[in-house]
Amino acid sequence: MQPVFIYDAIRTPRTRAKESGGLHELRPHDLLKALYQALETRNRLDPVLIGDVILGCVTQPGEQAGNIAKTSTLYAGWPSSIGGLTVNRFCSSSIDAINLAALRIAAGQEQAIVAGGIEMMSRVPMLSDQATVFVDPAFAAQCQMLMMGSGADLIATLNNVSRQQADAIALQSQLRAATARQQGYFKSIIPIENPTRGITASEDECIRADISLQALHRLPAAFEKLGSQGVDQYQLAANTQLDHIEHIHTAGNSPAMADGAALVLLGNEALGEKLGIEARARIVAAATVSDDPLQVLSGCVTATGKLMTEQNLSVNDVDLFEIQEAFAATVVKCERDLGIPSDKMNVNGGVIALGHPMGATGAMMTGTLLDELERREQKLGLVAASGAAGTGSALLIERC
């Protein structure tokens, strides 16, 4: 197995998943085309060297249907010789895309692969694919499939996470993200032109720099009604030690829906020699898990723990953690279960503040992690994300 390197990691800004969002008028293919072109320019990349493109995408009807990993390369004018694979492991999809690409390069099947993800939630809304496991309650129960917010509230109940703690996590995420944006820490952002409105989207839009704890405390519980419709009883039947579910999650301490795309250029050592560029990081290891499906979102915690155990690492060995804020209670669980200090995790904010374009989030976090390791001149970083049904994936990178 040969070593696998990250040569570049770029992304669009995260913009609001609304018609007023800065990227809304663009198709998903337009975002990817702009990023493919940026990879060429930044790395003197001849696309003929790319063997495959692997992209995560969660909701795949309409404009995101039809294997967007393949069709987007054709739309961008890249050689037809490049393959394309679109993967869906819910919100960890683009971490899995990176891992699949790394495995193929390590095995000698390809010298270079572009991996990443795409999600235009303003144009292809979450659940617009009408998957039976989400829209048919009886069938969903048979498959143990619950909505993400219900899982987050169960995690809060099992771990005694209070509404005050959840709102404090949300405020911290907002303040850190606002500072990072102001200081220009998000070096991986590629500005995207929106000619329909005559604007260029260049900054993350979802951040609420003026938010306060008081404003967060005033927001109503978002998933209490869903719980009263039978979800609470279903979760309580499987957790007999509980007598009720605490509904602490709101629109303010939950991930913000967003539009965005991200790409990572991966290759072997020979790729860097051909392009005349230095690798930015090496892929060290990866882990994928499936945890309790009724908690829905605990996978990022379990995947992080599994990866650290397999690599014989303590928290002290890892310089930075970029872990998906899959609702605030999951962050508290991660800090408690793994002992990760706040000053090492999501130091520039997380998806509660920055936004969560589902299929792209993992690759975006990888770029954010690499940017910050370089800024701090640190070495080892871990990125992890949860998917639905308890799934989760983690990736360990070492800066070159």
Side-chain angles (χ1 to χ4, degrees), residues 133-134 136-151 153-154 157-158 223-245 247 291-296 389-390:
V133 291
F134 286 121
D136 182 334
F139 186 67
Q142 284 183 287
C143 298
Q144 297 183 284
M145 289 292 291
L146 300 181
M147 295 301 296
M148 284 64 74
S150 296
D153 281 343
L154 177 58
T157 307
L158 289 169
F223 308 104
E224 189 169 10
K225 181 178 179 181
L226 188 61
S228 69
Q229 294 172 343
V231 175
D232 281 4
Q233 290 305 311
Y234 182 68
Q235 290 177 317
L236 290 171
N239 294 274
T240 55
Q241 74 277 26
L242 303 177
D243 58 15
H244 71 287
I245 302 296
H247 295 286
D291 202 17
D292 177 11
L294 300 191
Q295 294 186 47
V296 187

Side-chain angles (χ1 to χ4, degrees), residues 179-243:
T179 298
R181 180 175 64 182
Q182 181 182 37
Q183 296 296 322
Y185 291 165
F186 299 127
K187 300 296 186 183
S188 54
I189 292 179
I190 301 298
I192 305 294
E193 291 186 15
N194 182 343
T196 302
R197 286 165 54 189
I199 63 171
T200 298
S202 59
E203 291 188 334
D204 296 315
E205 293 180 352
C206 300
I207 302 168
R208 299 179 61 188
D210 59 348
I211 197 68
S212 67
L213 273 179
Q214 291 75 18
L216 287 167
H217 289 340
R218 288 194 293 268
L219 294 173
F223 308 104
E224 189 169 10
K225 181 178 179 181
L226 188 61
S228 69
Q229 294 172 343
V231 175
D232 281 4
Q233 290 305 311
Y234 182 68
Q235 290 177 317
L236 290 171
N239 294 274
T240 55
Q241 74 277 26
L242 303 177
D243 58 15

Side-chain angles (χ1 to χ4, degrees), residues 91-399:
C91 298
S92 67
S93 294
S94 55
I95 292 181
D96 290 288
I98 294 170
N99 185 32
L100 288 171
L103 288 171
R104 292 190 59 201
I105 294 167
Q109 294 181 358
E110 301 288 353
Q111 69 170 339
I113 297 178
V114 172
I118 175 71
E119 208 81 40
M120 288 287 287
M121 299 180 75
S122 71
R123 296 178 69 94
V124 187
M126 183 172 62
L127 303 182
S128 60
D129 52 355
Q130 292 291 290
T132 305
V133 291
F134 286 121
V135 301
D136 182 334
F139 186 67
Q142 284 183 287
C143 298
Q144 297 183 284
M145 289 292 291
L146 300 181
M147 295 301 296
M148 284 64 74
S150 296
D153 281 343
L154 177 58
I155 290 171
T157 307
L158 289 169
N159 292 275
N160 297 312
V161 180
S162 69
R163 171 67 182 271
Q164 289 73 24
Q165 288 173 304
D167 286 347
I169 289 290
L171 181 63
Q172 175 181 268
S173 183
Q174 296 285 356
L175 296 178
R176 287 179 171 182
T179 298
R181 180 175 64 182
Q182 181 182 37
Q183 296 296 322
Y185 291 165
F186 299 127
K187 300 296 186 183
S188 54
I189 292 179
I190 301 298
I192 305 294
E193 291 186 15
N194 182 343
T196 302
R197 286 165 54 189
I199 63 171
T200 298
S202 59
E203 291 188 334
D204 296 315
E205 293 180 352
C206 300
I207 302 168
R208 299 179 61 188
D210 59 348
I211 197 68
S212 67
L213 273 179
Q214 291 75 18
L216 287 167
H217 289 340
R218 288 194 293 268
L219 294 173
F223 308 104
E224 189 169 10
K225 181 178 179 181
L226 188 61
S228 69
Q229 294 172 343
V231 175
D232 281 4
Q233 290 305 311
Y234 182 68
Q235 290 177 317
L236 290 171
N239 294 274
T240 55
Q241 74 277 26
L242 303 177
D243 58 15
H244 71 287
I245 302 296
E246 290 282 355
H247 295 286
I248 70 163
H249 287 96
T250 70
N253 56 36
S254 303
M257 291 185 290
D259 292 340
L263 297 178
V264 178
L265 175 60
L266 299 156
N268 58 17
E269 188 173 6
L271 178 68
E273 295 171 355
K274 287 181 179 179
L275 298 178
I277 59 175
E278 297 290 331
R280 295 177 64 187
R282 179 176 68 90
I283 302 288
V284 179
T288 300
V289 302
S290 282
D291 202 17
D292 177 11
L294 300 191
Q295 294 186 47
V296 187
L297 300 164
S298 55
C300 64
V301 183
T302 308
T304 299
K306 177 183 178 182
L307 184 54
M308 292 176 66
T309 297
E310 290 178 344
Q311 296 300 307
N312 195 28
L313 294 172
S314 71
V315 168
N316 292 333
D317 296 321
V318 181
D319 294 305
L320 291 174
F321 294 83
E322 193 71 24
I323 298 178
Q324 180 199 359
E325 290 176 344
F327 297 77
T330 309
V331 179
V332 178
K333 176 178 172 60
C334 196
E335 291 177 343
R336 288 180 182 173
D337 289 4
L338 302 176
I340 301 174
S342 177
D343 61 3
K344 279 193 172 189
M345 183 164 65
N346 301 342
V347 295
N348 290 326
V351 299
I352 290 174
L354 290 164
H356 178 33
M358 300 181 293
T361 295
M364 287 187 164
M365 293 194 303
T366 302
T368 298
L369 176 62
L370 184 51
D371 286 345
E372 190 63 15
L373 286 171
E374 290 174 342
R375 190 182 75 84
R376 296 182 178 212
E377 297 184 348
Q378 293 179 322
K379 196 75 172 175
L380 202 61
L382 191 151
V383 58
S386 297
T391 61
S393 298
L395 190 72
L396 187 67
I397 65 172
E398 182 180 41
R399 191 170 68 87

